[in-house]
Amino acid sequence: MYIQKCVKGIVGDTSGSSGLTQSKAQEIIDQDHGIMSNWWRKEHQITPPMIADVLTRQNLDRHLHDYENFGDETPFISLASGSVERNTILQRNFAYSAIDTALQFATDDWTRPGALFFCWVATSNYPAVEVSNVAEAVRDLNIYQRWSPYQLEGEITAKVHIPSNQIERVEWWDPSHGHWGPQHTWSNPKYVEPDVLSNIRELF
């Protein structure tokens, strides 16, 4: 297991309806809500048996490859962490930025406002879909070897919920301001650095 820094892009809605606004983005850290999966928001109240039922490889595959139909009820949370494309013809590697990927999603290709959440998650070195408190490194071809058209999005897949104390800061981006950069940034005073964690210590 290792700690992976990630960025979560969430599409914003300035109309004040059910979508994410600046104030709601700030509340995710200020009120300790954290980032909830669409499944939890839909169910309102969840239990450990319910979590066990939805954390399956089939549902993970639907989250990755059928999000259009499954997204509203997925227990998984897509995070961007960057990816590398290897071009064997050109003999070059091309890096894809996690921030660019998250920002493209959050602003719907720079057509609306959105938020970026900078966070970390404990990530497994092996497939561990059933373990709710570790994320899946689905971008890693040494772990998930099936071809995916979305591999270059650099996704790390968290499960059910990301606690607010794992979110370092939130940035609000609004293309209507006409310049490249966040309009507001909120740092999380309750953020816990991941260096408090280390490798497994055995019983004695």
Side-chain angles (χ1 to χ4, degrees), residues 9-27:
I10 299 181
V11 173
D13 181 3
T14 56
S15 67
S17 61
S18 59
L20 187 72
T21 61
Q22 289 188 52
S23 60
K24 289 180 180 179
Q26 188 175 3
E27 286 176 2

Side-chain angles (χ1 to χ4, degrees), residues 112-162:
R112 58 191 298 177
L116 297 187
F117 295 81
F118 292 79
C119 61
W120 61 265
V121 289
T123 307
S124 176
N125 286 301
Y126 302 95
V129 179
E130 300 83 4
V131 182
S132 63
N133 58 350
V134 297
E136 299 295 307
V138 295
R139 67 169 181 171
D140 191 333
L141 296 178
N142 291 315
I143 302 173
Y144 283 88
Q145 299 174 7
R146 172 188 169 184
W147 184 86
S148 172
Y150 309 110
Q151 192 269 336
L152 293 179
E153 294 179 2
E155 181 169 338
I156 296 290
T157 306
K159 303 161 189 172
V160 183
H161 178 245
I162 300 172

Side-chain angles (χ1 to χ4, degrees), residues 10-162:
I10 299 181
V11 173
D13 181 3
T14 56
S15 67
S17 61
S18 59
L20 187 72
T21 61
Q22 289 188 52
S23 60
K24 289 180 180 179
Q26 188 175 3
E27 286 176 2
I28 286 177
I29 56 175
D30 286 349
Q31 298 187 14
D32 297 328
H33 294 317
I35 299 173
M36 301 170 63
S37 65
N38 293 341
W39 170 70
W40 190 353
R41 284 198 298 270
K42 180 180 178 181
E43 294 290 336
H44 300 293
Q45 293 184 337
I46 60 175
T47 64
M50 292 171 65
I51 294 173
D53 285 344
V54 297
L55 293 184
T56 66
R57 296 195 179 203
Q58 179 182 7
N59 281 345
L60 176 60
D61 188 73
R62 291 194 66 192
H63 172 84
L64 296 173
H65 301 110
D66 189 27
Y67 194 84
E68 182 177 351
N69 296 311
F70 188 59
D72 289 342
E73 55 187 292
T74 178
F76 299 99
I77 303 170
S78 294
L79 306 171
S81 58
S83 188
V84 175
E85 178 184 18
R86 171 162 290 182
N87 189 308
T88 56
I89 296 176
L90 298 178
Q91 297 184 353
R92 292 184 60 189
N93 291 341
F94 297 92
Y96 292 82
S97 163
I99 295 176
D100 289 347
T101 299
L103 191 58
Q104 183 180 17
F105 179 83
T107 62
D108 195 12
D109 291 325
W110 207 242
T111 61
R112 58 191 298 177
L116 297 187
F117 295 81
F118 292 79
C119 61
W120 61 265
V121 289
T123 307
S124 176
N125 286 301
Y126 302 95
V129 179
E130 300 83 4
V131 182
S132 63
N133 58 350
V134 297
E136 299 295 307
V138 295
R139 67 169 181 171
D140 191 333
L141 296 178
N142 291 315
I143 302 173
Y144 283 88
Q145 299 174 7
R146 172 188 169 184
W147 184 86
S148 172
Y150 309 110
Q151 192 269 336
L152 293 179
E153 294 179 2
E155 181 169 338
I156 296 290
T157 306
K159 303 161 189 172
V160 183
H161 178 245
I162 300 172

